[in-house]
C-alpha cells in the first residue's frame, strides 16, 4: 500500500515552485529582509528553499544531495533574525500560501509548520 505524500497531495513541484517564487517576490521588495540575503540575485536562495520544502514534504530529496543535512538553525546563524525579521518572513509566506489553491486543511498544515519553523530560527533578542 502506498501513502500519498503531502507533496503529491498539494500538486507536487509546481505548487512549491509557485509558493517559493511568490515568497521571494515579497522578499525582493522588503527593506528589512532583502539586505540579509548575501547574493545579488535571489535565484539561488529560491532554489534552496524550494528544494528543502519539497524534500521536507515528501518529494525528491535533491536538496540534501546537493546541500547535505539541512541544519537550518546553524545555517541561519550568520543572519540576525529577531522577531521583526521572523514576522516579515512569515508575512510574505502567508501571502504566498494564500496565493495557492490549497484546501483549508492543507493550508493549515503547511502554515502551522512554517510558523513553527520560523519561530525556531530566531537567533537574536529584539
Ligand atoms: C537560507 C533568512 C526562516 C529555510 C536563508 C538565507 C537567509 C534566510 C538570509 C540565506 C539565503 C541563501 O540560501 O543564500 C531567513 C529568515 C527567516 C528564515 C530571516 C525568518 C525566520 C526560514 C524557515 C525555513 C528556512 C522557517 C524553513 C522552513 C531556509 C533554507 C535555506 C535558507 C532551506 C538554505 C540553506 C542552505 O542550504 O544553505 N534563510 N530564513 N528559512 N533558509 Fe531561511
Amino acid at each position: 500500500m502506498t501513502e500519498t505524500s503531502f507533496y503529491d497531495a498539494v500538486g507536487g513541484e509546481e505548487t512549491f515552485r509557485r509558493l517559493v517564487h511568490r515568497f521571494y517576490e515579497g522578499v525582493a521588495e522588503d527593506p528589512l529582509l532583502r539586505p540579509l540575503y548575501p547574493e545579488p540575485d535571489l535565484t539561488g536562495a529560491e532554489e534552496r528553499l524550494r528544494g528543502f520544502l519539497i524534500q521536507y514534504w515528501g518529494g525528491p530529496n535533491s536538496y540534501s544531495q546537493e546541500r547535505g543535512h539541512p541544519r537550518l538553525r546553524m545555517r541561519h546563524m550568520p543572519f540576525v533574525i529577531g522577531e521583526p525579521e521572523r514576522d516579515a518572513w512569515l508575512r510574505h509566506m502567508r501571502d504566498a500560501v494564500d496565493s495557492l489553491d490549497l484546501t483549508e486543511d492543507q493550508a493549515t498544515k503547511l502554515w502551522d509548520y512554517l510558523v513553527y519553523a520560523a519561530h525556531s530560527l530566531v537567533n537574536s533578542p529584539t
Side-chain angles (χ1 to χ4, degrees):
M1 208 171 76
T2 48
E3 255 180 62
T4 306
S5 62
F6 184 78
Y7 169 77
D8 284 326
V10 297
E13 179 175 342
E14 174 62 19
T15 297
F16 287 89
R17 202 165 272 284
R18 280 170 58 195
L19 174 75
V20 176
H21 188 70
R22 173 76 172 233
F23 169 75
Y24 274 112
E25 281 180 346
V27 170
E29 300 296 319
D30 190 305
L32 183 64
L33 292 185
R34 183 61 187 89
L36 292 181
Y37 288 79
E39 291 176 1
D41 91 82
L42 293 169
T43 317
E46 184 169 330
E47 280 168 15
R48 288 184 280 277
L49 180 57
R50 182 175 67 239
F52 171 79
L53 291 174
I54 284 175
Q55 173 174 309
Y56 179 84
W57 290 106
N61 66 351
S62 36
Y63 174 84
S64 278
Q65 285 176 24
E66 281 161 33
R67 307 287 295 165
H69 190 285
R71 300 186 200 286
L72 285 191
R73 216 175 135 73
M74 186 196 79
R75 288 199 211 255
H76 284 79
M77 281 304 175
F79 317 112
V80 174
I81 305 180
E83 288 178 15
E85 289 79 10
R86 175 197 71 196
D87 292 345
W89 192 99
L90 282 171
R91 207 163 47 243
H92 296 300
M93 261 307 171
R94 182 73 245 184
D95 171 64
V97 171
D98 288 343
S99 77
L100 301 173
D101 311 301
L102 303 181
T103 67
E104 209 179 312
D105 281 0
Q106 289 170 338
T108 301
K109 188 169 171 172
L110 179 57
W111 179 244
D112 286 355
Y113 164 72
L114 292 167
V115 170
Y116 158 81
H119 279 70
S120 80
L121 293 177
V122 172
N123 56 24
S124 169
T126 22

